[in-house]
Amino acid sequence: MNFGGLDDRFSDRDKARFVVLPVPYDLTSTYQPGSRRGPLAILEASGNMELYDEELDRETCRVGIHTLDPLEIDARGPAEMIRSVKEAVADILEEKQIPVILGGEHSISYGALLAVRDLFPRVGVLQLDAHADLREEYQGSPYSHASVARRMAEAVPVCQVGIRSMSAPEAEFIRQGKVTSFSAEFVRGKKNWQTEITRRLPEDVYVTIDLDVLDPSVMPATGTPEPGGISWQDILILLREVARKKRIVGFDAVELAPIPGLVAPDFLAAKLVYRLMGYLSEKDKD
């Protein structure tokens, strides 16, 4: 199943600007599981969206979008799964293509980042998320989805946006300046907030989008929905600003836990992924 339902004209691996890697994994999910079904739901929804982007006035698919088979799940645990993701993403980067990872739970993003860092050693992370994900470990695992930002922050600079849920130790970690963290309230309440966030990022950026950064009114299909999230318009404002002023070298969209019979969140996720591809290819065009 190709992202966007694309035929061979626009999905050839050798000519593709973007390579989509589905990772249907949610072994460390703790509240509402189901994000393993996220990649398939996004791919199915993407086949029903218009390929002409009304904001960008172009068909982004013409730059080429190849979709890989879903990554085989390693049941030995999250550390092994992270290693598998790293190897798969490294293969994409070796061909000078932009990896687009569809989750699955958030722990897989660490594997993608490690692959990106090997090629772009000064990369930083833009983490869009409701949760800080800065626990040293959770339920006995340092590679839980609740610890992914902590592992990332040990490897590269991390800038969080949309945060509105954390533990007391995570709050202390943020106060110590170990990460840069912007709340959802900051996004809603400050003029030119996107400029302030973008200037905190290095030139090379990996974007990880936990879909629960969005308000549950538009994105209810996540494992731990948190009230008070950012809007569809806000996330586009930020992503377009970052795409214009920085170099996004890869990105993911994770933690979609599809709700049977409710396809709007699946469609939103697919459209968001396609729109960010459009922002990146728009910069290539310029």
Side-chain angles (χ1 to χ4, degrees):
M1 182 181 295
N2 290 333
F3 185 89
L6 301 177
D7 59 28
D8 292 343
R9 292 176 301 159
F10 303 129
S11 63
D12 183 90
R13 173 66 192 267
D14 293 335
K15 300 177 182 178
R17 179 69 176 120
F18 301 97
V19 175
V20 176
L21 174 65
V23 186
Y25 180 78
D26 65 357
L27 186 64
T28 76
S29 294
T30 50
Y31 181 37
Q32 293 294 316
S35 61
R36 70 183 63 188
R37 300 194 301 271
L40 179 59
I42 293 173
L43 291 174
E44 288 182 338
S46 73
N48 291 281
M49 68 182 183
E50 295 289 356
L51 297 174
Y52 169 77
D53 189 310
E54 74 285 354
E55 178 186 337
L56 302 177
D57 189 26
R58 62 198 297 260
E59 292 181 318
T60 299
C61 63
R62 292 184 177 276
V63 303
I65 305 170
H66 179 78
T67 306
L68 298 171
D69 291 335
L71 191 63
E72 184 176 353
I73 302 307
D74 194 319
R76 290 176 291 177
E80 297 300 326
M81 195 66 214
I82 287 166
R83 187 174 296 111
S84 295
V85 173
K86 179 183 178 183
E87 292 173 356
V89 173
D91 289 343
I92 298 170
L93 292 167
E94 187 176 350
E95 300 299 322
K96 302 187 185 308
Q97 295 164 311
I98 297 178
V100 179
I101 298 88
L102 305 181
E105 63 167 68
H106 208 170
S107 67
I108 63 174
S109 302
Y110 182 51
L113 171 66
L114 292 176
V116 168
R117 187 190 61 173
D118 285 347
L119 191 61
F120 303 97
R122 296 185 178 180
V123 72
V125 169
L126 173 61
Q127 175 195 353
L128 305 180
D129 207 323
H131 307 94
D133 290 346
L134 289 168
R135 295 174 184 265
E136 178 58 41
E137 57 85 23
Y138 193 65
Q139 296 187 338
S141 173
Y143 299 109
S144 166
H145 71 146
S147 302
V148 63
R150 184 68 167 255
R151 301 287 81 81
M152 287 180 167
E154 293 168 349
V156 303
V158 172
C159 179
Q160 305 179 320
V161 178
I163 307 300
R164 54 195 187 275
S165 177
M166 67 190 75
S167 66
E170 289 175 298
E172 178 59 27
F173 189 83
I174 292 171
R175 280 193 293 269
Q176 292 172 1
K178 303 291 183 65
V179 300
T180 301
S181 190
F182 294 95
S183 68
E185 190 64 30
F186 177 87
V187 171
R188 292 192 298 270
K190 186 176 176 64
K191 187 177 181 181
N192 296 323
W193 57 269
Q194 71 274 20
T195 303
E196 174 68 15
I197 291 168
T198 303
R199 76 175 186 84
R200 301 292 189 96
L201 298 170
E203 179 61 28
D204 295 332
V205 179
Y206 180 82
V207 178
T208 178
I209 306 171
D210 185 329
L211 291 163
D212 66 24
V213 70
L214 293 159
D215 192 78
S217 61
V218 295
M219 177 49 69
T222 66
T224 311
E226 294 283 351
I230 69 174
S231 71
W232 167 256
Q233 290 78 14
D234 286 336
I235 199 170
L236 294 186
I237 288 170
L238 178 58
L239 291 175
R240 184 157 197 173
E241 179 85 356
V242 175
R244 283 176 168 174
K245 296 186 176 179
K246 305 294 179 177
R247 178 169 65 165
I248 297 177
V249 296
F251 70 92
D252 64 56
V254 299
E255 296 287 356
L256 176 70
I259 299 172
L262 182 63
V263 297
D266 311 346
F267 195 86
L268 182 154
K271 186 113 179 181
L272 181 61
V273 168
Y274 192 60
R275 180 62 56 80
L276 184 49
M277 290 180 183
Y279 291 159
L280 270 59
S281 57
E282 184 181 44
K283 187 172 182 178
D284 292 343
K285 179 187 65 175
D286 296 340

